């Protein structure tokens, strides 16, 4: 085995993997495997610590917590992974880290970079620092908790059953047996112009996903949850009314004074 690959924020289920513990398990086994992490939907929405958690390769992209269109993807690479890549023997060109690293000190790219996306990325990072990363992470945790409060009130089930591992990025919600999550999503889109995520593979048509990543605040979350509740009613999915009020109560009791930005 050369590497252990883990998804940081599992976007199809709305659960978070304990990356540091995976590293500890690899180390406890005395195994030289690299730790590779997909943090495409986790980065900039929930805490991620490349160095501290002993990650060797992280993959991320522009289109989730960084609030940009799709089009940019990037790697963070440890010295250990960089050395391993030199002796891996796999032939590559475009994806070659050596070429990229060789020209890095000059600030240039070996190929034409997505310049306009990089301007956008610069601005996204400035926005995140302006708010303060800890505040950003706390905001998403809070919005995840408020969303789960709404789901519980509706009498529906959050797909992630592992307490403490529920995602601050999105919440996947099971619809009751005998109901179609996709029909519900279509109804919500048609009547309330709200686009909810679909269930993938095993949970296709069984769950819908509420995103609360990126540029979202209490008001936009409340609007989102209202759209879901209206859609549940319109679709005839059995639920208790008042999930939005339950979410608002959760927001009220977890209201926090943002820390001064770094
Ligand atoms: C979005 C996402 C990706 C990338 O998916 P594409 O849309 O195919 O670029 C990969 N992993 C996770 C966990 C994601 O959320």
């Amino acid at each position: 085995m050369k590497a252990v690959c883990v998804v940081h924020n599992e976007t199809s289920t709305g659960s978070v993997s304990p990356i540091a513990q995976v590293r500890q398990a690899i180390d406890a086994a005395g195994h030289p495997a690299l730790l590779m992490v997909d943090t495409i939907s986790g980065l900039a929405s929930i805490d991620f610590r490349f160095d501290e958690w002993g990650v060797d390769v992280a993959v991320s992209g522009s289109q989730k917590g960084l609030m940009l269109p799709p089009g940019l993807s990037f790697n963070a690479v440890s010295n250990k992974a960089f050395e391993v890549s030199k002796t891996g023997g796999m032939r590559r060109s475009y994806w070659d880290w050596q070429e990229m690293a060789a020209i890095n000190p000059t600030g240039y790219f070996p190929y034409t970079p997505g310049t306009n996306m990089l301007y956008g990325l610069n601005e996204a990072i400035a926005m995140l620092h302006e708010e303060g990363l800890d505040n950003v992470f706390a905001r998403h945790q809070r919005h995840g908790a408020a969303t789960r409060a709404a789901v519980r009130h509706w009498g529906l089930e959050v797909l992630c059953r592992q307490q403490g591992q529920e995602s601050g990025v999105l919440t996947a919600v099971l619809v009751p047996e005998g109901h179609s999550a996709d029909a519900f999503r279509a109804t919500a889109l048609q009547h309330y112009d709200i686009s909810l995520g679909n269930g993938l593979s095993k949970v296709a048509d069984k769950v819908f996903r509420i995103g609360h990543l990126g540029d979202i605040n209490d008001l936009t979350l409340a609007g989102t949850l209202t759209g879901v509740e209206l859609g549940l009613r319109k679709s005839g999915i059995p639920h208790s009314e008042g999930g939005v009020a339950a979410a608002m109560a959760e927001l009220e009791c977890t209201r926090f004074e943002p820390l001064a930005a770094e």
Side-chain angles (χ1 to χ4, degrees):
M1 185 176 61
K2 301 268 170 66
V4 174
C5 302
V6 190
V7 178
H8 178 213
N9 181 78
E10 226 297 350
T11 323
S12 58
T13 58
S15 56
V16 177
S17 305
I19 304 300
Q21 281 157 256
V22 175
R23 169 88 269 166
Q24 282 162 15
I26 298 171
D27 291 349
H31 201 285
L34 298 170
L35 176 56
M36 298 173 65
V37 178
D38 167 343
T39 184
I40 293 180
S41 65
L43 193 74
S45 293
I46 57 174
D47 200 10
F48 179 71
R49 295 168 190 247
F50 184 87
D51 294 319
E52 198 179 314
W53 294 350
V55 178
D56 291 299
V57 180
V59 185
S60 196
S62 52
Q63 73 271 37
K64 306 277 169 73
L66 291 169
M67 305 170 281
L68 293 165
L72 275 186
S73 180
F74 24 81
N75 296 159
V77 183
S78 71
N79 288 328
K80 181 177 164 194
F82 195 69
E83 289 310 310
V84 170
S85 78
K86 289 179 184 166
T87 58
M90 187 179 24
R91 297 182 66 147
R92 55 184 110 74
S93 171
Y94 186 82
W95 305 109
D96 193 13
W97 290 335
Q98 327 295 331
E99 273 198 65
M100 194 65 92
I103 201 165
N104 248 350
T106 69
Y108 286 93
F109 284 78
Y111 312 103
T112 310
T115 313
N116 34 7
M117 291 293 292
L118 290 169
Y119 277 109
L121 180 62
N122 211 33
E123 187 56 31
I125 292 171
M127 285 166 66
L128 290 162
H129 282 308
E130 194 179 314
E131 184 175 352
L133 273 185
D134 288 339
N135 296 327
V136 172
F137 299 154
R139 174 164 55 83
H140 291 298
Q141 292 306 330
R142 224 177 127 246
H143 287 163
T147 302
R148 293 192 297 278
V151 173
R152 276 195 301 271
H153 184 95
W154 288 323
L156 303 180
E157 200 182 332
V158 173
L159 181 64
C160 176
R161 288 194 182 144
Q162 197 67 40
Q163 221 191 347
Q165 284 184 220
E166 304 100 332
S167 175
V169 175
L170 79 148
T171 301
V173 183
L174 283 154
V175 296
E177 280 288 326
H179 290 270
S180 160
D182 289 341
F184 159 69
R185 290 173 47 249
T187 299
L189 180 60
Q190 187 192 342
H191 291 275
Y192 307 110
D193 203 18
I194 182 171
S195 175
L196 296 161
N198 60 336
L200 301 165
S201 71
K202 275 191 199 168
V203 289
D205 206 28
K206 292 180 171 33
V207 307
F208 63 91
R209 295 178 295 157
I210 304 169
H212 32 82
L213 69 167
D215 183 24
I216 188 164
N217 59 31
D218 289 7
L219 191 58
T220 43
L221 181 77
T224 302
L225 296 174
T226 302
V228 174
E229 190 160 329
L230 286 166
L232 289 171
R233 192 191 301 186
K234 194 86 183 167
S235 306
I237 294 186
H239 67 285
S240 313
E241 287 179 17
V244 178
M248 284 162 62
E250 175 73 25
L251 288 175
E252 201 48 47
C253 75
T254 56
R255 185 165 301 284
F256 70 108
E257 285 302 315
L259 304 164
E262 63 255 42

